[in-house]
């Protein structure tokens, strides 16, 4: 709209400025709401009332979508919580270190649908089974220079790992692992879960359940070690 004067000396910019300073204007003159016309990028021009109704419907649709997303997340979290609880119960019933680590791998594989699980132990802990998913590093953490940064801070990480880390954990199967989660298990071990899905584990995901798993497994291994 040009700034040509309307009704004498009144200009459109003057009207616009007045309405900005008095947003309650239409409450005093509600009949104008049905007469004002607003342009639309998605269709024909509409009255202010129709425009407000359309905007309200769009906002309601956005809220409904967000509510469905939150409900889905809540359902997923409840499922994960039940699985962590099942893992905890299984580990409480383990008689020794071998049964403990076997229960960890079995639960992660069956309940959490983990494709590849690796437990890496530092030193030479007695009673561990000889299995492809269990790795030993007799030199301790110093024998895993690829994971020095991770072991230093100890927080769970999720995402795509560098090729040297993947090869150290998964060997010849490393090319099939597109994403992974790493958890520090107490002072003497780490737990890795690998997936062929590049979106299964990513940096933007929360680590609450990874923390819970690492704490649960670490406590169970420490208890089994002391009982040996």
């Amino acid at each position: 709209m040009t700034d040509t004067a309307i009704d004498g000396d009144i200009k459109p910019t003057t009207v616009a400025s007045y309405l900005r300073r008095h947003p309650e204007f239409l409450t005093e003159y509600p009949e104008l709401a049905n007469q004002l016309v607003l342009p639309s990028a998605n269709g024909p021009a509409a009255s202010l009332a129709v425009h407000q109704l359309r905007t309200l419907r769009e906002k309601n649709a956005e809220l409904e979508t967000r509510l469905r997303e939150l409900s889905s997340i809540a359902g997923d979290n409840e499922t994960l919580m039940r699985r962590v609880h099942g893992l905890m119960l299984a580990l409480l019933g383990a008689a020794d270190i071998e049964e403990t680590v076997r229960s960890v791998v079995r639960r992660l594989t069956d309940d959490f649908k983990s494709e590849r699980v690796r437990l890496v132990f530092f030193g030479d802990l007695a009673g561990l089974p000889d299995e492809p998913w269990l790795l030993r590093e007799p030199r301790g953490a110093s024998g895993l220079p690829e994971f020095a940064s991770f072991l230093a801070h100890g927080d769970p990480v999720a995402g795509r790992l560098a090729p040297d880390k993947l090869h150290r954990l998964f060997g010849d199967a490393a090319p099939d692992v597109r994403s992974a989660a790493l958890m520090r298990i107490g002072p003497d071990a780490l737990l890795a879960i690998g997936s062929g899905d590049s979106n299964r584990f990513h940096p933007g995901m929360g680590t609450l359940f990874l923390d819970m798993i690492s704490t649960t497994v670490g406590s169970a291994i420490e208890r089994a070690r002391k009982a040996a």
Side-chain angles (χ1 to χ4, degrees):
M1 178 182 292
T2 64
D3 204 28
T4 303
I6 53 177
D7 290 343
D9 295 332
I10 301 177
K11 296 182 179 180
T13 52
T14 304
V15 176
S17 177
Y18 178 85
L19 290 175
R20 290 191 188 97
R21 296 195 309 271
H22 301 84
E24 75 288 351
F25 179 79
L26 289 177
T27 62
E28 300 177 10
Y29 301 92
E31 70 279 1
L32 290 179
N34 291 323
Q35 298 177 24
L36 293 175
V37 175
L38 282 76
S40 174
N42 300 318
S47 70
L48 179 60
V50 172
H51 175 76
Q52 289 175 325
L53 179 59
R54 182 186 300 153
T55 301
L56 181 60
R57 286 173 176 169
E58 291 174 353
K59 289 183 178 179
N60 284 341
E62 291 175 1
L63 290 174
E64 289 176 359
T65 299
R66 182 57 178 160
L67 181 59
R68 286 194 295 270
E69 292 174 351
L70 292 175
S71 297
S72 176
I73 292 172
D76 291 343
N77 286 345
E78 183 179 356
T79 299
L80 285 172
M81 188 65 73
R82 286 200 301 268
R83 290 173 179 171
V84 171
H85 184 250
L87 172 64
M88 186 181 301
L89 293 178
L91 296 182
L92 284 173
D96 52 30
I97 187 66
E98 178 175 354
E99 186 176 352
T100 297
V101 296
R102 288 189 183 279
S103 293
V104 169
V105 175
R106 183 173 60 253
R107 284 284 177 169
L108 290 178
T109 301
D110 296 343
D111 295 351
F112 290 84
K113 310 303 179 186
S114 302
E115 298 170 40
R116 302 181 188 279
V117 179
R118 294 292 186 272
L119 271 168
V120 184
F121 281 89
F122 312 143
D124 189 20
L125 179 62
L128 293 173
D130 292 323
E131 294 287 353
W133 43 259
L134 194 145
L135 308 176
R136 293 178 174 85
E137 178 44 70
R139 294 169 295 175
S142 62
L144 294 169
E146 308 94 330
F147 299 93
S149 176
F150 164 72
L151 294 173
H153 64 69
D155 296 326
V157 297
R160 299 181 182 182
L161 300 183
D164 58 338
K165 293 184 174 68
L166 288 175
H167 187 267
R168 187 64 183 268
L169 292 170
F170 302 103
D172 293 340
D176 298 327
V177 178
R178 305 297 177 84
S179 65
L182 289 179
M183 290 156 275
R184 180 74 185 258
I185 305 299
D188 301 318
L190 69 84
L191 172 64
I193 302 174
S195 174
D197 181 356
S198 59
N199 295 317
R200 173 74 185 275
F201 301 106
H202 55 86
M205 67 184 294
T207 59
L208 171 63
F209 288 101
L210 297 181
D211 272 318
M212 294 176 66
I213 290 171
S214 66
T215 300
T216 299
V217 174
S219 297
I221 290 175
E222 183 63 21
R223 184 172 59 253
R225 191 206 312 259
K226 290 180 178 179

